[in-house]
Amino acid sequence: MASAPTTVTITGAGGQIGYALLFRIAAGDMLGTDRPVRLRLLEIPQGLRAAEGAALELQDCAFPLLHDVDITDDPLTAFQGANIALLVGARPRGPGMERADLLAANAGIFGPQGAAIGAVAADDVRVVVVGNPANTNALIAAASAAPHVPADRFSALTRLDHSRAVGQLAEAIGVGPGAIEGVAIWGNHSATQFPDVSHARVDGMPVLDALAERLGGQDAATAWLDDVFIPRVAKRGAEIIEVRGSSSVASAANAAIEHVRDEQRGTPWTSAAVLSRGEYGVPEGLVCSFPVTSDGDGYRIVEGVGLDARGRRRFEASVAELVAERDAVRALGVL
Ligand code: NAX
C-alpha cells in the first residue's frame, strides 16, 4: 500500500450510526480504495464493549485498507493525530428535558472534544458533527478547538436532508435520483430547515417545470412543495422513527460518508452546514447549511444563489433558531 494511513476518529462508535459507518469506511467507501485508514474509536465507558465488538467484526472482515483500530474513552488518545473526525456520539433529549438542558449536556461533550482536537489532532484535521443538535455542537467544538484549529475546518451534517429532498423529488417526478441536481438545504438541521428546489434541475429541465408537468400546473406544483415536500423532508427523521421503530441509521451513516468523501475528493454542488462569514446575511460565526462546493480541500459556500421572498423568509426563520441556540449556549457561559 503506497500512502500512509489516514487517521479517522469516530465518536459514539459503539452506537447505531457508528456501527453502520465503520465497515464502509474500512471498505474504502469514504476516502477511496487508494487510501488506507487507521480507525480511532471514542466511546464513554458504557459504550466500550459495543465498540470492542465492532472491532472484532472489523478484524473478521480483513479489509485490506484497514491499518489498525484503537478503542478508548479518552478524547486525547482518540484524537491524537486525527486527520478526519466524525463526531457522532451525543446526548439525546431525555423525557422532560428542556432545550437549554439538552444544549448544556451536549456542550459538556463537544466542548472537551473540541479542546482535545485543538490539542492533539493533525494539522490538516477536518471535523464533521453528526450528533444533534449538530450545527450548535459544531459551533461549540470549533470554539473549543480555537486557536489551534481554524473554525472553518468544522462542519455539521445536512447531507441527509439534502439526499432526502432528492429522493422525494425523484419519486414525485418519476425519475431516478441521479437525474436531479441543484437541490439546496438552507439553515439548521432541524424541522425549520429550508429544502430549496428553485435552482434544481432534472435532466437539465427546471424541477419546478417538471413538477408542474407531472402534477397539472404551476399552482399544483407550488402547493405540493409547500404542503407535502418541505414538511416531509424537514420531518423525515420522525417519519422513520414511526415506521421503523428506530431512528435513521444506515441513511445517516451514508450521508456522513458522502459528506466527507465530497469534502475530501471534490464536488461541484451539495449541501453542508459550514461556518458563516456573513454570506447571505447569516451572522458571522454560525454553523449554517448552505449550498456548497469543494475542490477537494474543504467546503466553500456557493455565493449568488437567488432566494425569492418566500424562500428567504423560511431561511431567516431557521437562521433565527440557530441564533437562539447560540445565545442559549452563550448564556451557559460556554462560548
Ligand atoms: P446511539 O445512541 O445508537 O449511539 C450514540 C453513541 O454515542 C452511544 O454508543 C453512546 O455511548 C455514545 N456517546 C455518548 N456520549 C459520548 C461521548 N461523550 N463520547 C463518545 N461517545 C459518546 O445513537 P445514533 O443512532 O448512533 O445517533 C447518534 C447521533 O446522531 C444522535 O445525536 C442523533 O440525533 C444524530 N443524528 C444526526 C443526523 C443528522 O443528519 N445530522 C441524522 C441521524 C441522527 O438522528
Side-chain angles (χ1 to χ4, degrees):
M1 204 70 65
S3 53
T6 301
T7 299
V8 180
T9 302
I10 300 156
T11 75
Q16 297 193 84
I17 294 175
Y19 190 71
L21 273 174
L22 296 174
F23 298 86
R24 292 193 56 196
I25 296 173
D29 287 358
M30 186 170 83
L31 298 177
T33 49
D34 54 346
R35 275 174 73 179
V37 290
R38 161 178 290 141
L39 294 179
R40 293 246 160 85
L41 315 186
L42 179 67
E43 259 295 347
I44 49 176
Q46 308 87 287
L48 285 173
R49 288 296 281 170
E52 283 163 10
L56 295 181
E57 284 200 73
L58 282 167
Q59 186 178 29
D60 293 349
C61 294
F63 288 115
L65 290 170
L66 184 56
H67 199 272
D68 53 57
V69 183
D70 294 321
I71 303 162
T72 179
D73 60 1
D74 172 25
L76 286 172
T77 306
F79 293 114
Q80 180 67 47
N83 306 108
I84 296 170
L86 294 104
L87 308 189
V88 180
R91 175 76 192 276
R93 189 188 285 255
M97 203 171 180
E98 296 296 331
R99 191 180 64 164
D101 302 332
L102 182 73
L103 289 167
N106 280 294
I109 294 174
F110 288 85
Q113 289 183 0
I117 290 168
V120 299
D123 287 345
D124 65 352
V125 67
R126 288 194 184 278
V127 183
V128 56
V129 175
V130 177
N132 283 318
N135 300 51
T136 297
N137 289 340
L139 183 76
I140 293 166
S144 308
H148 309 291
V149 181
D152 64 5
R153 301 284 191 76
F154 287 77
S155 59
L157 189 73
T158 53
R159 182 60 172 266
L160 179 56
D161 309 297
H162 180 101
S163 299
R164 285 168 171 168
V166 170
Q168 292 303 312
L169 289 174
E171 187 189 27
I173 298 170
V175 294
I180 294 187
E181 56 187 15
V183 164
I185 304 294
W186 301 86
N188 199 0
H189 169 67
S190 78
T192 67
Q193 67 178 262
F194 172 41
D196 175 22
V197 307
S198 53
H199 300 280
R201 303 181 84 81
V202 49
D203 289 328
M205 176 189 198
V207 151
L208 290 170
D209 293 350
L211 284 170
E213 214 170 270
R214 187 91 175 175
L215 300 173
Q218 288 290 345
D219 290 350
T222 307
W224 181 82
L225 286 169
D226 285 348
D227 302 340
V228 180
F229 171 78
I230 292 176
R232 190 148 199 217
V233 172
K235 296 178 190 157
R236 183 68 158 183
E239 184 183 349
I240 300 287
I241 291 173
E242 192 195 319
V243 176
R244 202 174 93 85
S246 166
S247 57
S248 314
V249 174
S251 56
N254 183 64
I257 281 169
E258 291 187 338
H259 174 108
V260 174
R261 183 197 66 200
D262 286 352
E263 185 180 33
Q264 297 273 327
R265 296 178 82 91
T267 182
W269 176 289
T270 186
S271 301
V274 297
L275 181 78
S276 165
R277 294 205 165 87
E279 292 89 346
Y280 296 96
V282 175
E284 210 172 317
L286 288 184
V287 176
C288 178
S289 188
F290 297 97
V292 295
T293 184
S294 167
D295 54 12
D297 190 26
Y299 284 125
R300 276 176 294 113
I301 296 167
V302 180
E303 296 201 60
V305 177
L307 281 166
D308 65 14
R310 282 150 55 95
R312 180 147 280 283
R313 269 200 303 279
R314 286 188 189 275
F315 182 30
E316 282 170 0
S318 196
V319 170
E321 185 182 52
L322 285 173
V323 169
E325 288 183 13
R326 181 200 60 193
D327 291 350
V329 169
R330 274 193 184 151
L332 296 166
V334 175
L335 289 175

